[in-house]
Amino acid sequence: ALAHLDDVLVVAPAKARLEFSLFAEAMRVRGKRQSWRVDYSSIAQTFLLPAADGSQRYFVIALSQPLKLGTTNHFHLVLSFDEGMVLTEADPFRVSMTGEQLEELLKRNPTSKVAAKMAGPVYEIVAKLIKGFSGAKTFGPGSFQSALARPEAEGARPWIACAHKAQSGGLYPLEKGFFFLPKPTIHIRNDAVRSVKFSNVGERHFHVAFLTKDEVHEFQGLDRQEYAGLVAWCKDAKRQLRCEGTKEDLLQQQAAALAEDSESEDDADFEGQASSESEENDEAAAKKAKKEEKKAKKKAEKEAKKAEKKRKRAEMKQS
């Protein structure tokens, strides 16, 4: 192998410690229970995102050809690294490549930053290695900022804490899509979204669902303080996603209904005012008739019960 990564924590599709061996055309991912060959040509893109707990960094490898685990296909590998894992110049990561091999890699991929010795945060080193060998672009978080962020204490917070079914995680609004991490790993591209539906908007939480051509991805338990920011993000001119069920939409619908009622009242004949008293009289008469009908019904039921009792007594005497 030209480079080797040992004991890497992978949190999706299944949590395990795996080895990554990088060769010229592909990398081998191997653990105790699984082994995959990943061609670099199948790596569509990668993402480097802060984990929702604030102490980890996710490196997501998105694949055009899925990995099979059991009977299920998986299109993402999610690697997790501690933020504090840093290699120094005195003890750097070393690749097993000659100068000629490094030059050949640079010719094949001019953006490669793979070097004989590499220092810095481990997640950055891994990102540089995968990008250097595969040529796939690496994307970071977008400009979205959580309403619950505390920059002075924890820095940026480009995610919203939520749950998908029984799994808790973070929803990441990116410039060209959304990610839910870590598991199940869900990537929703903006161009695949038909509508974004907001529901159960209460005082503390709300739900949001992304409707695509083939699926509905629903996320629950988003903090109510995130509502305005997420709606604005979806409706922004860069994205222009169709939103349904927002409070703003409901208010617009109510305003439209009131406007229609107002127009119908304006178009009504002036005789409506003169006939208001007769309408009230009709309403009172209807109520009185309903009351009388109810009274008669009760009386009939009472008489029927009496007749039934008499019938039973007569049968008892005959027997």
Side-chain angles (χ1 to χ4, degrees):
L2 302 177
H4 184 78
L5 302 167
D6 193 18
D7 199 34
V8 177
L9 177 60
V10 174
V11 293
K15 192 171 184 179
R17 294 277 180 178
L18 304 179
E19 296 179 358
F20 287 72
S21 299
L22 281 68
F23 299 90
E25 301 296 331
M27 67 178 179
R28 186 179 64 213
V29 183
R30 186 170 58 184
K32 292 181 179 179
R33 298 182 180 179
Q34 60 266 65
S35 180
W36 298 301
R37 172 193 165 95
V38 180
D39 292 332
Y40 295 134
S41 58
S42 72
I43 299 178
Q45 53 194 345
T46 62
F47 299 83
L48 196 55
L49 303 168
D53 63 6
S55 64
Q56 305 285 317
R57 186 74 61 132
Y58 292 138
F59 181 64
V60 185
I61 302 175
L63 304 168
S64 58
Q65 298 295 322
L67 302 177
K68 182 160 284 190
L69 186 62
T71 58
T72 308
N73 290 329
H74 298 274
F75 287 87
H76 298 91
L77 272 172
V78 183
L79 287 58
S80 181
F81 300 94
D82 289 336
E83 288 276 4
M85 290 177 62
V86 178
L87 298 180
T88 63
E89 295 286 349
D91 187 23
F93 176 83
R94 301 172 188 269
V95 298
S96 302
M97 301 175 69
T98 64
E100 291 181 359
Q101 288 174 321
L102 286 170
E103 288 180 7
E104 183 63 30
L105 182 62
L106 192 60
K107 288 179 182 178
R108 193 167 72 243
N109 179 15
T111 62
S112 173
K113 294 184 179 180
V114 177
K117 298 178 182 180
M118 303 173 71
V122 172
Y123 59 81
E124 286 187 358
I125 293 173
V126 173
K128 288 177 182 178
L129 285 170
I130 300 299
K131 181 180 180 180
F133 279 89
S134 68
K137 290 184 178 180
T138 300
F139 298 91
S143 58
F144 179 85
Q145 190 65 235
S146 166
L148 303 179
R150 296 179 299 158
E152 69 285 352
E154 60 186 12
R157 182 171 174 159
W159 73 84
I160 298 175
C162 62
H164 176 70
K165 298 181 180 178
Q167 298 289 337
S168 60
L171 180 66
Y172 295 75
L174 306 179
E175 298 300 332
K176 295 184 179 181
F178 296 83
F179 246 120
F180 177 79
L181 295 170
K183 185 180 178 182
T185 308
I186 301 173
H187 185 206
I188 309 167
R189 300 194 323 273
N190 286 344
D191 57 12
V193 175
R194 289 190 169 184
S195 65
V196 183
K197 186 175 182 179
F198 293 83
S199 62
N200 295 79
V201 182
E203 293 183 359
R204 299 182 63 184
H205 299 97
F206 67 97
H207 298 176
V208 64
F210 296 86
L211 285 70
T212 66
K213 181 181 179 181
D214 303 315
E215 296 179 275
V216 177
H217 302 288
E218 185 174 4
F219 305 97
Q220 305 89 21
L222 288 76
D223 193 286
R224 179 64 176 80
Q225 296 181 63
E226 306 282 17
Y227 173 79
L230 185 57
V231 172
W233 179 267
C234 292
K235 289 186 174 182
D236 185 86
K238 293 180 181 178
R239 285 160 284 278
Q240 296 183 347
L241 299 179
R242 179 188 171 199
C243 295
E244 299 177 354
T246 66
K247 286 200 168 182
E248 292 78 4
D249 293 337
L250 294 175
L251 288 173
Q252 289 177 4
Q253 291 171 10
Q254 290 174 1
L258 288 172
E260 288 179 5
D261 292 342
S262 177
E263 288 177 5
S264 63
E265 288 175 4
D266 292 341
D267 293 338
D269 193 73
F270 287 108
E271 291 179 0
Q273 295 180 1
S275 64
S276 60
E277 291 183 4
S278 63
E279 288 176 358
E280 289 178 3
N281 292 335
D282 291 343
E283 187 177 349
K287 286 182 179 179
K288 187 176 180 180
K290 192 173 182 180
K291 190 174 181 181
E292 291 294 335
E293 183 183 350
K294 192 174 181 181
K295 194 173 180 180
K297 187 177 180 182
K298 284 184 177 180
K299 187 176 180 180
E301 289 176 353
K302 193 173 181 181
E303 291 295 333
K305 286 180 181 180
K306 284 182 180 181
E308 181 66 18
K309 284 181 180 180
K310 286 181 180 180
R311 186 183 64 77
K312 287 183 178 179
R313 284 175 187 170
E315 289 177 356
M316 288 175 69
K317 285 179 181 180
Q318 288 176 4
S319 61

